[in-house]
Amino acid sequence: TDPGPTDPGPTDPGPTDPHASAKHHTHTLSATPRPSPVGHCYHQQAVLAREEGVTLDALFGYLRALLAPEPFAPTAQNNLDRLCAELARGPPPAPPPPLASREAADWFEAAVCRLVASACLGDGAASAEDLAGSRSLLLQLSGWLRVSVARASAPSPKRVGVALLVCIAALHLAPPPGGGGGGGDCGRDGEDSSCGEGGGGSENDGEGVGESEGSTASSRPSEARAAALLKCLFCAVAPAVQQASQDVADAGRDRRLAQLLGAVTPLALWASQHANRRLWALAEADRSDFAAALARVGNSLPAVARSAAAPPMSAALERLTGFAPLAPALAAAERAARRRGAARRVVDDSDATGLVAALGGSAFAALRHLATSSASGGGTAADFVGRDRFPLHWHPSTAAFATVPELHPAAACAPATRQAAFPAPPP
């Protein structure tokens, strides 16, 4: 019998018997409406993904179970820690395979999972050799992914999008800068997993959702390493978004752009609410590169995405309802639509042209919000104590994003200057 939402349930046995409970979990998932506020549903999906050997989906399922309005803790946290420990103990991924090979997509997911596991275990659980190996793997992944995405090779934009969401979730399990409370008095070892019910669903930024007293400091993610992986993935994809936008303008091919926007739009929504607070673990140069990649995406969006009207909602974003890191941005978009008196139409995944307008419009509005809040000092005082604001700005005179404020007309060349940090991949 399925454990109820407040029952911690059995510990995930790991991928030892992929067929024993497949029917049980398939029946459970088919009866589960999505999105759901109950973290137990996402925990079930994670267990099934792990049994099927799809480790990236398993990581996201455990993380989303902890970041749901009703977190499934401590069971999901225990299984996440166990999976990360197994990934960290395993052999490191082999050198990157050729881009056109069948192993390319598998290597990408193995590399991302290894790096996420390293971040989730924290620096205290890693040796100097492990840290050096992670840095080397991150550099390999960055160069390989940039070329792979530019050539429309493996991995698919959808899998890159899942990897970006995993990084975002890992950042939100870390203690916020300056400390911060956990998600409530969660019991240990299955004593009580109903903590957080009714919480986390408000229009706050989800700080601390899913954390528990039972989570030790060593099991919390390292913000710097999770943020570095997020920056690596996004900066590799941003030039491909620009190229796909150009292809739409030249030949009307919008399917590729819709797929890439499906990967990066959730990140833009997240950044609009959290970049000033969650990315300060990055070095200043890395924050500037991150902002330049956001500017590159925003400046390349087609005219249909830059409308002042409230953009329609995509089915892909609707499925992320209840995911705490995106809750403030999705709620803000709904409020903006209500202020305009517009009922938000939901665009199906098969409508490529509609997705470009929906996803691109959501990304553009989110980046405008981020640029405006960074320039005006939006956010709480704790976000900016002793810090510069996130370096993304909007230039009204040229209707473009840049990484420097608009001081005079000559500042219009700033986006091109920053884009030099993202050279085109070799042919």
Side-chain angles (χ1 to χ4, degrees):
T1 305
D2 272 350
T6 60
D7 185 337
T11 301
D12 178 7
T16 56
D17 186 0
H19 304 293
S21 57
K23 286 187 178 180
H24 167 73
H25 287 296
T26 300
H27 173 75
T28 301
L29 293 176
S30 66
T32 300
R34 291 196 302 173
S36 170
V38 183
H40 174 259
C41 302
Y42 303 109
H43 180 267
Q44 291 280 55
Q45 294 177 16
V47 172
L48 179 59
R50 194 172 179 203
E51 289 176 348
E52 294 177 346
V54 189
T55 308
L56 186 62
D57 287 350
L59 282 172
F60 184 48
Y62 291 138
L63 288 163
R64 189 162 185 189
L66 293 168
L67 291 167
E70 300 176 24
F72 192 62
T75 304
Q77 182 68 63
N78 292 340
N79 287 334
L80 174 64
D81 290 346
R82 181 182 177 187
L83 176 56
C84 289
E86 291 179 5
L87 289 169
R89 285 196 305 266
L99 296 178
S101 67
R102 293 182 179 179
E103 296 80 16
D106 292 339
W107 181 87
F108 166 76
E109 296 200 12
V112 170
C113 290
R114 175 83 173 201
L115 291 167
V116 170
S118 176
C120 286
L121 291 174
D123 294 339
S127 65
E129 183 179 359
D130 292 337
L131 293 175
S134 295
R135 286 192 291 269
S136 175
L137 181 58
L138 185 64
L139 290 174
Q140 284 183 324
L141 178 62
S142 178
W144 181 89
L145 182 61
R146 185 170 300 185
V147 177
S148 177
V149 174
R151 296 182 180 180
S153 183
S156 69
K158 183 176 182 179
R159 301 308 291 168
V160 175
V162 174
L164 289 169
L165 289 171
V166 167
C167 295
I168 289 172
L171 273 170
H172 277 255
L173 286 184
D185 293 329
C186 300
R188 303 182 189 217
D189 299 326
E191 291 176 7
D192 178 13
S193 64
S194 62
C195 62
E197 277 191 38
S202 62
E203 292 174 2
N204 57 25
D205 67 355
E207 306 294 348
V209 173
E211 293 175 16
S212 70
E213 292 179 355
S215 296
T216 63
S218 63
S219 68
R220 287 171 172 168
S222 162
E223 280 191 292
R225 291 157 77 182
L229 178 57
L230 182 66
K231 178 253 178 186
C232 159
L233 296 175
F234 180 64
C235 290
V237 175
V241 176
Q242 185 181 34
Q243 182 58 53
S245 296
Q246 186 61 47
D247 291 342
V248 169
D250 293 343
R253 296 191 294 267
D254 50 15
R255 172 60 59 185
R256 174 69 174 170
L257 178 59
Q259 292 172 339
L260 289 167
L261 288 176
V264 303
T265 297
L267 182 140
L269 289 168
W270 171 83
S272 71
Q273 302 290 329
H274 299 293
N276 278 319
R277 182 173 181 83
R278 291 288 181 179
L279 294 179
W280 288 108
L282 292 174
E284 182 178 357
D286 289 334
R287 289 199 304 274
S288 295
D289 285 345
F290 203 121
L294 288 170
R296 168 175 264 182
V297 169
N299 292 336
S300 66
L301 291 171
V304 68
R306 299 167 72 93
S307 169
M313 174 68 78
S314 72
L317 288 180
E318 192 175 49
R319 287 192 291 270
L320 291 172
T321 302
F323 181 47
L326 295 188
L330 293 176
E334 287 295 335
R335 291 195 299 271
R338 287 197 299 268
R339 282 197 298 269
R340 295 184 176 95
R344 299 197 81 187
R345 178 174 60 92
V346 177
V347 178
D348 187 75
D349 292 341
S350 61
D351 182 3
T353 302
L355 284 175
V356 170
L359 293 168
S362 296
F364 184 76
L367 295 178
R368 282 289 304 271
H369 177 81
L370 174 59
T372 302
S373 63
S374 293
S376 64
T380 65
D383 293 343
F384 305 113
V385 174
R387 298 164 174 165
D388 294 326
R389 295 179 177 87
F390 191 75
L392 183 69
H393 303 272
W394 173 251
H395 290 190
S397 65
T398 56
F401 296 98
T403 58
V404 295
E406 185 175 32
L407 302 178
H408 50 77
C413 64
T417 302
R418 285 304 309 164
Q419 287 181 9
F422 300 93

